[in-house]
Every structure is written in C-alpha cells, then in structure tokens.
Amino acid sequence: MNQTEAAGAARLVESPEEIRRVVQAARRTGLRVGFVPTMGALHAGHRSLIEQARHDCDVVVASIFVNPTQFAPHEDLSKYPRPLEADLRLCSGAGADLVFHPSVPAMYPAGMSTVVRVEGLTRGLEGASRPTHFQGVTTVVLKLFSVVPADVAYFGQKDFQQQAVLRKMVADLCLPIEIVVCPTVREPDGLALSSRNVYLSPTERQQALELSAALRRTMTQLEQGVRDIPALQRELRDRLVAAPGVVLDYATLADPQTLEELSSWQPSVVALVAARVGTTRLIDNMVFGRWQ
Ligand code: AMP
C-alpha cells in the first residue's frame, strides 16, 4: 500500500485496460465490486451512491466521465463543470477505492460506430425534449459496464427515466450486473441536488424550489386519499405553469415501470417534472407507493 492509499485516497485510473484488470482481479478473489458511474461535479447525491456501494461491497469504483454523446449540440457540454480535484476528494471521503476517469478518445476511439438504443421507454418525457440523449447514455453505460465489470451498479432515483431505461437495457441484454437505485438527495428546502444547480442565480434557485414543492403537494394529496389522477395532474401542471421564472416542459403522473401517463388511479404513481429556470433545465420526481 502506498502513501496515498494509506491516507484513504481513491486511486485514479485513466486507462480502460487497467481498470478492467483491477476489477477482474478483485472479482477473481471473490470480492464484490460496486460501481457508481457519474459525470463528475459531485455533490451529496453522488456521495450517497458511493456510500451505499461502500456499505454493500468490498471494492468501490466511481467513474467520472462527461459523456459528450448524451448532450445535444445546443446543450451545456462545454460549460459542464469539471472540478476534478474536489471530485476526487469527495470520492475518497465517501469511500471509493478507485476512480475511473477516462479520456474521450479512450471511450470513443476514432471510427467507433456502435450505439445502444432502448426503444419505447426512451420516447417520452426526457426523450421527447432530448431525442439523442438516452442513446448517448445507454451507449456509454454499456461500455462502462464492459470496462468496469462490477457485480452491482448504483444509480439515483433523481434521473427516474434514466434508471428505468438502464434497467431495461440490463434485462434485455442479460447483462451480468445488478442495478440498485438510491433515493434522491435534496437540500433541506427540498431542491433536488444536481450538478446543474450551480448555474442558478440566487433568484432562480428560489424559483426552482417550486418543482419539489409542487411534487410534494401531489404526494401529500395521494397520501391523503385523493384518487382523481387527471385532476391531480392538472393541478401539478397549473401550479408549475403559474410559478414565476419556471418554464414548464412537462409535468405528468405515470406508471413507474412503463412511464406511460396514467388516466386513472393505481397503487403506484410517479410524478415527473421538467422545467427551465433561467437557462437551466431541471428535472425532479417523486413516487407514491411501491415501485421497486
Ligand atoms: P450525473 O453525474 O448527473 O450523471 O449523475 C450520476 C448519478 O448520480 C446518476 O445515477 C444520478 O441519478 C445520480 N444523482 C444525481 N443527482 C442525484 C441526487 N440528487 N440524489 C441521488 N442521486 C443523484
């Protein structure tokens, strides 16, 4: 063990071949490997995933890779925050053993012509507003799973459609990895943590609170026994349309498995919202009932 490891610092690995070798060697000795893929700009939401992996597994790998193919040309790829030093500290503090931080050419070698696309689940919601997004996500995550052949991978409920799409990909392709979805971590005032929250001005941050407040109200109504789904959906939408500074993209009550919009009550419901606050696009969701 070297000095850095003795101090509990995660080991930074840039080479796909090396991380695969390390993970395979750990698994050959019977160790359980947990994997937390991220795009960096880490916060307490990411930390909770790493901590869960630390709790469940013998070896914890986090990855930091700002995946260009999940951004549309007009989106924020070039300005996406990349505070690598702080990210490495957070990974180490949360208990990661290894941080995989590949270059873009390492993940997308010149001439790469393979993509992974999940049909159906990717059509609506985020897929409607960001038509190329999920193909970028599934392609990079499958490649990450290949390079980091872990036992289990951790994702956040915050990106609800993403976890549904990735679970479908894993099931459809019989990938030998388990997916664990962890709850959304929020600020004390309800705002879901997101790497994009740093774009919000103080006024916009205040305005953004309406997303979680509106979702919370929908959940409270469901908990109180309100069963009129179309009325709840109308109210959620109306509240967000009326919110100052919030430009609503969608607000919908859906089935947590299929993500189909609901027309009547059922025991499990996910409420999903997306909106622009200033120039920042935010998403959030809350679930009523059992869903996983
Ligand atoms: P990202 O870096 O945004 O690609 O996110 C990496 C992982 O962290 C994804 O599985 C996200 O769903 C998860 N994540 C992001 N924000 C949160 C949050 N507030 N709470 C829990 N998980 C989160």
Side-chain angles (χ1 to χ4, degrees), residues 37-40 43 45-46 48-49 80 154-159 162 182-185 192-195:
T38 82
M39 295 208 303
H43 49 63
H46 301 105
S48 72
L49 303 182
Y80 199 83
Y154 295 82
F155 293 91
Q157 184 194 321
K158 158 78 172 30
D159 296 275
Q162 172 173 280
C182 301
T184 302
V185 175
L193 294 185
S194 162
S195 305

Side-chain angles (χ1 to χ4, degrees), residues 161-221:
Q161 189 175 13
Q162 172 173 280
Q163 62 76 31
V165 168
L166 291 174
R167 289 198 301 166
K168 186 80 170 85
M169 175 182 82
V170 165
D172 285 353
L173 300 180
C174 297
L175 300 178
I177 192 162
E178 184 190 332
I179 301 280
V180 170
V181 180
C182 301
T184 302
V185 175
R186 298 177 179 280
E187 301 278 9
D189 59 11
L191 183 69
L193 294 185
S194 162
S195 305
R196 291 189 165 98
N197 290 352
V198 297
Y199 302 151
L200 299 169
S201 71
T203 307
E204 289 166 350
R205 195 199 167 287
Q206 204 55 31
Q207 293 168 331
L209 287 179
E210 195 55 41
L211 271 66
S212 54
L215 287 168
R216 188 65 256 152
R217 170 151 176 82
T218 302
M219 292 300 117
T220 302
Q221 288 170 302

Side-chain angles (χ1 to χ4, degrees), residues 126 211 247-251 272-276 281-284:
E126 290 304 285
L211 271 66
V247 179
L248 185 64
D249 181 354
Y250 59 78
L272 301 135
V273 299
R276 207 166 282 283
R281 191 165 182 286
L282 299 174
I283 58 173
D284 200 355

Side-chain angles (χ1 to χ4, degrees), residues 3-110:
Q3 278 288 307
T4 346
E5 282 164 337
R11 174 171 151 206
L12 182 65
V13 176
E14 294 180 350
S15 143
E17 293 73 26
E18 186 183 349
I19 194 76
R20 180 189 268 141
R21 235 185 353 259
V22 173
V23 170
Q24 282 175 337
R27 290 194 61 185
R28 264 199 303 275
T29 63
L31 297 177
R32 183 169 169 81
V33 179
F35 178 34
V36 181
T38 82
M39 295 208 303
L42 303 180
H43 49 63
H46 301 105
R47 176 197 291 274
S48 72
L49 303 182
I50 298 172
E51 286 172 347
Q52 187 63 51
R54 180 74 279 160
H55 177 265
D56 299 346
C57 301
D58 303 305
V59 176
V60 176
V61 183
S63 67
I64 297 175
F65 180 63
V66 183
N67 174 35
T69 64
Q70 70 189 70
F71 291 77
H74 64 277
E75 291 181 348
D76 55 342
L77 173 62
S78 61
K79 73 165 182 168
Y80 199 83
R82 291 165 168 85
L84 185 60
E85 285 303 315
D87 284 351
L88 292 175
R89 277 197 300 277
L90 185 143
C91 288
S92 300
D97 299 298
L98 296 140
V99 176
F100 177 48
H101 179 54
S103 67
V104 172
M107 291 303 284
Y108 294 104

